[in-house]
């Protein structure tokens, strides 16, 4: 768990998910009128105030959304729900999740991330993957049940590793073609079936850069609902191989010295030099940890 001075988005301020309440329909009905409600559109943006700040709306203001709302959890006795609002005014202000991570209070931003992930799953899993019949959602939105073949469907989370790879004095970073100029980040990739996290680290780093990892160590994780990932942060020790980026994955990959990384962390490279990922991401935190002396 990152410390208070080493935080990244969507971790702090999490709600008590109150899993035991998901089957208590009568209790949820009682909580709904005063519950905090987050309304999202089909693009995963949250309905917001005119200045982009979060709305403090209650369930009572939107009774038509109760049937399909998802229980996010409870805070200080107040329930929080999220719902897709397809009937919202197209001109109503909205805020995207990355903006919310930087500007909203921590609890609201973390709840928004949770809401975006589960509503994305709901929107794309309306039918049974086995027989194609329409799903019926239970457990306050967290379970899709197929009445035709009795299969239960649960929200999908895709595990991915993200790695600060070092040969000792240098840090390996890569960039994708569509990124802003000079932007580099730690390497990352999805876990494949039948694979350990450590095996994923070794495979992904080699596939993307041709650099061989010797050992790695887990540090922390971050929910990353773009749309449904869980980023598992590692620090790794590697051979000082010359990076050869994969055309399919990266436009470039290279080693950066501790001095170059330090200048980027201090914001001394805005006009020229290395640019790092924003502070909302675990990628930036991993770079900070490596620069502070963390190793595998």
């Amino acid at each position: 768990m990152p410390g208070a001075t080493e935080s990244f988005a969507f971790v702090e301020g999490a709600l008590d998910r109150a899993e035991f309440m998901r089957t208590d329909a009568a209790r949820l009905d009682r909580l709904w009128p005063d519950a905090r409600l987050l309304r999202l559109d089909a693009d995963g943006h949250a309905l917001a105030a005119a200045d982009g700040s979060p709305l403090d709306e209650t369930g009572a203001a939107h009774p038509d959304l109760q049937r399909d709302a998802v229980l996010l959890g409870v805070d200080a006795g107040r329930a929080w729900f999220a719902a897709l609002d397809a009937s919202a005014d197209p001109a109503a202000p909205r805020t995207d999740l990355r903006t919310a991570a930087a500007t909203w209070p921590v609890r609201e931003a973390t709840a928004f991330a949770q809401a975006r992930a589960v509503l994305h799953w709901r929107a794309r899993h309306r039918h049974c993957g086995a027989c194609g019949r329409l799903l019926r959602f239970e457990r306050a939105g967290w379970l899709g049940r197929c009445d035709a073949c009795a299969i239960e469907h649960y929200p999908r989370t895709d595990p991915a590793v993200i790695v600060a790879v070092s040969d000792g004095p240098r840090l390996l970073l890569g960039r994708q073609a569509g990124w802003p100029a000079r932007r580099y980040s730690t390497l990352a990739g999805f876990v494949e079936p039948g694979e350990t996290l450590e095996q994923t680290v070794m495979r992904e780093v080699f596939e993307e850069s041709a650099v061989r990892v010797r050992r790695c160590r887990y540090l922390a994780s971050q929910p990353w609902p773009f749309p449904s990932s869980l980023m598992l942060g590692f620090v790794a020790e590697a051979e000082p191989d010359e990076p050869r980026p994969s055309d399919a994955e990266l436009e470039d990959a290279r080693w950066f010295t501790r001095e170059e990384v330090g200048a980027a962390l201090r914001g001394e490279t805005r006009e020229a030099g290395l640019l790092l990922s924003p502070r909302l991401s675990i990628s930036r935190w991993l770079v900070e940890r490596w620069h502070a002396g963390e190793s595998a």
Side-chain angles (χ1 to χ4, degrees):
M1 186 78 171
T5 61
E6 304 167 328
S7 185
F8 37 82
F10 316 137
V11 176
E12 301 294 337
L15 298 169
D16 173 0
R17 298 203 174 201
E19 191 274 341
F20 65 93
M21 289 173 50
R22 294 176 183 175
T23 58
D24 192 341
R27 186 171 185 179
L28 295 177
D29 284 343
R30 292 194 301 270
L31 291 171
W32 172 261
D34 295 323
R36 182 79 179 266
L37 177 63
L38 300 181
R39 290 185 295 140
L40 275 62
D41 64 17
D43 295 322
H45 298 159
L47 278 294
D51 62 356
S53 61
L55 294 170
D56 188 1
E57 297 187 305
T58 64
H62 299 278
D64 54 314
L65 298 180
Q66 182 178 0
R67 185 176 68 87
D68 290 324
V70 176
L71 175 68
L72 299 179
V74 176
D75 175 45
R78 187 186 190 191
W80 288 48
F81 287 86
L84 177 66
D85 190 353
S87 65
D89 180 356
R94 289 162 166 79
T95 297
D96 67 89
L97 185 53
R98 284 184 170 87
T99 300
T103 61
W104 281 19
V106 171
R107 189 174 301 283
E108 280 81 353
T110 297
F112 183 2
Q114 179 189 356
R116 190 184 192 279
V118 70
L119 291 178
H120 179 272
W121 167 72
R122 284 277 301 265
R124 285 156 180 78
H125 292 81
R126 293 191 293 266
H127 296 82
C128 177
C131 72
R133 299 292 289 273
L134 193 68
L135 296 180
R136 175 171 54 84
F137 288 96
E138 302 176 354
R139 297 187 63 83
W142 290 91
L143 167 65
R145 185 180 301 280
C146 179
D147 291 325
C149 64
I151 291 179
E152 296 180 347
H153 299 263
Y154 293 90
R156 172 175 172 172
T157 297
D158 301 318
V161 299
I162 184 164
V163 195
V165 180
S166 174
D167 66 352
R170 301 179 299 175
L171 183 68
L172 179 66
L173 300 174
R175 65 169 277 108
Q176 296 181 10
W179 288 357
R182 302 183 286 114
R183 168 69 58 78
Y184 283 77
S185 181
T186 49
L187 305 191
F190 288 104
V191 181
E192 293 187 348
E195 188 174 53
T196 68
L197 299 180
E198 293 80 4
Q199 289 168 344
T200 305
V201 168
M202 299 178 71
R203 175 183 57 78
E204 282 288 346
V205 171
F206 188 78
E207 286 180 357
E208 294 189 2
S209 68
V211 171
R212 295 166 294 166
V213 168
R214 291 197 294 255
R215 61 182 62 86
C216 62
R217 182 166 61 88
Y218 170 79
L219 294 184
S221 63
Q222 180 186 31
W224 194 247
F226 299 101
S228 56
S229 299
L230 175 65
M231 306 305 294
L232 303 160
F234 283 78
V235 60
E237 178 185 325
E239 301 289 348
D241 300 323
E242 183 65 27
R244 299 192 306 275
S246 165
D247 293 338
E249 298 286 343
L250 298 176
E251 177 187 68
D252 188 27
R254 67 178 70 172
W255 294 107
F256 290 88
T257 66
R258 192 172 297 275
E259 291 72 23
E260 290 174 311
V261 171
L265 289 172
R266 293 189 297 272
E268 298 172 1
T269 57
R270 292 192 179 93
E271 302 301 325
L274 171 65
L275 294 179
L276 296 171
S277 300
R279 294 186 181 279
L280 70 91
S281 70
I282 192 173
S283 175
R284 174 66 171 250
W285 182 81
L286 288 170
V287 172
E288 292 172 348
R289 295 309 310 150
W290 173 80
H291 189 261
E294 198 82 60
S295 71

